[in-house]
Amino acid sequence: MVKNILITGGCGFIGHHVVEHFFHNTDYNIFILDKLTYASRGLDRLRNAKVLDENKEPLHGNRVKVFTFDISHDISPGVIQELGNINYIIHMAADTHVDNSIKEPVNFIKNNVMSTVYMLEYARKLKNLEKFFYFSTDEVYGSAPGTTSYKEWDRHKPTNPYSASKSCGEQICISYGNTYKLPIIIVNVMNAFGERQHVEKFIPKVIKSVLKGEKVYIHADKKCENPGSRFYIHARNIANAILFLINNGNIGEKYNIVGEKEVNNLEMALFIANEMKMELKYELVNFHEDRPGHDLRYSLDGTKLIKEGWKLPLTFEESLRKTIQWTLRNQEWLNWEEFE
């Protein structure tokens, strides 16, 4: 029997890469729930990735179906009927932009928490559900000073409303696993990049600024000497890890999905400008003043997933070069304001 997988937020940035990866590497029927906010750009990502054709129809039969629905409300009987028998759920739909969570925390938290609750309530009704994946973030652990890297079950210390909402979602999922025996697996991911990313994110923002000859502002410590750093990972590498965990992950466990090397944001910006063969104009700024609620460094320990047998399909440099070159060939994806 062909498996059925439900992906919430499948029109979003990481979500559409997960859909694309499963579309090409499985025979699953793929169902998507997405409310199509500003961050999705409609169905353009799925069309551009050749998952849907220009008439918004699935390619290669009816393997992909999209339902526009706000899952921060109880899922309607009609949508439940159309989804039918679901074997796997990947719940990644969420508001993720930290600045927006700081500006409007109430609605942000309501959306992320209640969407998780309603998805878990829906999952309780499924008779053949094998695994429920909850997408979380490195930010739930808070700042990682020095060389600290957090393991899967370390304590949480979120520092902004976004990370607090994701931490809350984790605890609710764990409670449903304990109380209702739902087959929960939690994954914590670090900074994702790749094709078709919203220009509010660092890498496409740098590409656009370099192209226009504008200064790039890079967040640093209070003395403006040490830039912030992240473990960047391509979204398709994340998708590859999820497919690996569908086949190999243990129910009730948490897994960190981590890029192979740490890169500070100045190094990242210089790499991008060098790949573009253009000048980088930049300024280090005190992130404590510019972005209250943000942390200078996050870090996760990815040993557990590697010991399970997962390997990154592409290195960081290979992934980043491909993303930069693709974006330069497809510069319309740097002009999101045309769609807002």
Side-chain angles (χ1 to χ4, degrees):
M1 292 289 291
V2 175
K3 300 289 187 178
N4 297 322
I5 187 166
L6 171 61
I7 301 174
T8 71
C11 299
F13 168 59
I14 299 179
H16 93 279
H17 279 288
V18 172
V19 170
E20 181 184 12
H21 188 76
F22 276 71
F23 183 76
H24 291 296
N25 293 281
T26 74
D27 62 352
Y28 296 175
N29 294 314
I30 302 170
F31 298 87
I32 299 168
L33 287 178
D34 199 300
K35 66 178 180 179
L36 302 182
T37 68
Y38 81 96
S40 68
R41 211 163 106 165
L43 302 178
D44 278 357
R45 284 192 175 112
L46 296 178
R47 283 193 286 261
N48 190 258
K50 307 300 182 185
V51 174
L52 301 179
D53 68 16
E54 292 303 315
N55 295 316
K56 306 181 184 179
E57 294 296 328
L59 297 168
H60 309 297
N62 294 315
R63 284 186 56 211
V64 180
K65 293 183 179 179
V66 181
F67 298 90
T68 305
F69 190 85
D70 183 354
I71 60 171
S72 66
H73 299 83
D74 196 6
I75 300 178
S76 67
V79 171
I80 292 175
Q81 176 182 324
E82 291 300 316
L83 293 174
N85 175 38
I86 297 294
N87 303 107
Y88 305 113
I89 293 175
I90 304 178
H91 174 42
M92 38 198 330
D95 290 335
T96 63
H97 195 39
V98 175
D99 288 346
N100 292 343
S101 82
I102 293 171
K103 292 174 185 176
E104 297 183 1
V106 174
N107 289 334
F108 202 99
I109 292 171
K110 280 184 178 178
N111 177 79
N112 287 356
V113 172
M114 293 312 301
S115 63
T116 299
V117 171
Y118 283 122
M119 283 307 303
L120 290 166
E121 282 294 293
Y122 161 70
R124 286 178 60 195
K125 304 170 186 174
L126 297 174
K127 296 180 180 180
N128 297 296
L129 182 67
E130 298 178 36
K131 289 180 179 176
F132 181 111
F133 288 88
Y134 176 74
F135 250 72
S136 191
T137 170
D138 54 350
E139 297 190 34
V140 298
Y141 299 101
S143 179
T147 59
T148 301
S149 291
Y150 294 111
K151 295 182 181 295
E152 280 78 358
W153 294 100
D154 284 349
R155 95 289 181 268
H156 285 192
K157 193 177 180 180
T159 56
N160 56 64
Y162 162 65
S163 56
S165 73
K166 298 303 289 184
S167 176
C168 181
E170 285 196 37
Q171 309 315 314
I172 295 170
C173 284
I174 292 169
S175 76
Y176 270 67
N178 289 332
T179 305
Y180 306 110
K181 308 306 177 187
L182 283 182
I184 302 293
I185 294 178
I186 295 171
V187 294
N188 295 76
V189 302
M190 302 201 69
N191 281 50
F193 69 92
E195 298 78 10
R196 311 174 195 93
Q197 190 169 27
H198 196 291
V199 77
E200 70 189 4
K201 302 299 184 179
F202 186 71
I203 291 175
K205 181 184 289 187
V206 170
I207 294 173
K208 186 171 185 177
S209 296
V210 170
L211 283 171
K212 297 175 70 174
E214 297 175 348
K215 183 182 289 187
V216 176
Y217 294 94
I218 296 173
H219 300 118
D221 58 9
K222 290 182 178 181
K223 295 182 179 180
C224 294
E225 295 175 346
N226 300 303
S229 65
R230 300 289 187 267
F231 285 79
Y232 287 91
I233 181 171
H234 195 285
R236 283 292 292 275
N237 286 347
I238 295 173
N240 181 276
I242 296 299
L243 183 53
F244 175 87
L245 287 171
I246 280 181
N247 295 318
N248 301 281
N250 295 314
I251 291 169
E253 286 291 343
K254 297 176 65 176
Y255 296 92
N256 293 334
I257 303 175
V258 185
E260 81 270 25
K261 64 185 295 185
E262 184 171 9
V263 182
N264 76 49
N265 288 331
L266 178 55
E267 291 172 333
M268 173 66 81
L270 288 168
F271 185 103
I272 293 169
N274 182 64
E275 187 68 20
M276 295 171 65
K277 297 179 172 57
M278 296 181 71
E279 178 188 2
L280 174 70
K281 301 175 183 178
Y282 73 92
E283 179 181 344
L284 297 181
V285 297
N286 178 357
F287 89 107
H288 291 278
E289 294 179 357
D290 188 55
R291 303 183 90 188
H294 288 255
D295 296 300
L296 196 60
R297 179 181 184 268
Y298 297 112
S299 182
L300 299 179
D301 185 323
T303 304
K304 182 175 180 177
L305 186 55
I306 292 171
K307 285 184 175 179
E308 292 287 335
W310 180 69
K311 296 179 180 179
L312 280 164
L314 292 176
T315 67
F316 164 73
E317 287 84 0
E318 288 175 308
S319 299
L320 183 54
R321 284 194 178 95
K322 287 186 175 184
T323 298
I324 295 167
Q325 294 303 324
W326 184 93
T327 303
L328 292 175
R329 293 192 305 269
N330 299 271
Q331 292 186 29
E332 66 273 15
W333 287 90
L334 296 174
N335 300 316
W336 283 80
E337 60 271 11
E338 297 177 6
F339 301 86
E340 297 176 5

